[in-house]
């Protein structure tokens, strides 16, 4: 399985729940998470998608810590099975 399959599932499931999963690109700043997930009720989180068994690179870890220190939630998903749980947490269910 490839990372893009997990990303497609995230987009599909987010849309099915009434949310948006924007591709997050920040020119000039490496290591930012792949997606900004916005859910009804003003809930949001960043999601970094990885191929199964792959881990965050050092720059991605630093960016995750930086965002979390600002109070944002950042998830890393490396399987299709993780998507539902992540979206449940974002929605606060």
């Amino acid at each position: 399985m490839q990372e893009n399959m997990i990303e497609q599932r995230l987009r599909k499931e987010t849309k099915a729940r009434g949310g948006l999963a924007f591709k997050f690109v920040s020119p000039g700043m490496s290591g930012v998470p792949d997606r900004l997930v916005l859910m009804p009720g003003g809930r949001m989180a960043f999601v970094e998608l990885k191929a199964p068994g792959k881990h965050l690179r050092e720059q991605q870890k630093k960016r995750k810590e930086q965002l979390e220190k600002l109070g944002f939630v950042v998830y890393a998903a490396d399987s299709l099975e993780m998507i539902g749980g992540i979206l449940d947490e974002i929605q606060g269910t």
Side-chain angles (χ1 to χ4, degrees), residues 33-67:
D34 295 313
R35 293 277 169 174
L36 175 60
V37 176
L38 306 173
M39 299 301 285
R43 302 204 179 257
M44 64 85 55
F46 293 95
V47 181
E48 175 62 37
L49 300 150
K50 304 303 275 181
K54 298 292 182 179
H55 303 285
L56 297 176
R57 297 186 319 269
E58 284 305 312
Q59 186 63 36
Q60 290 172 320
K61 289 178 186 177
K62 289 178 186 176
R63 212 51 83 202
K64 180 180 186 293
E65 290 172 9
Q66 193 177 42
L67 290 167

Side-chain angles (χ1 to χ4, degrees), residues 6-57:
I6 299 169
E7 190 166 14
Q8 287 173 5
R9 174 70 61 87
L10 175 69
R11 289 190 342 257
K12 180 181 175 183
E13 292 295 323
T14 300
K15 183 178 180 181
R17 294 177 185 220
L20 301 167
F22 292 125
K23 182 74 173 174
F24 185 56
V25 179
S26 183
M29 184 173 285
S30 62
V32 297
D34 295 313
R35 293 277 169 174
L36 175 60
V37 176
L38 306 173
M39 299 301 285
R43 302 204 179 257
M44 64 85 55
F46 293 95
V47 181
E48 175 62 37
L49 300 150
K50 304 303 275 181
K54 298 292 182 179
H55 303 285
L56 297 176
R57 297 186 319 269

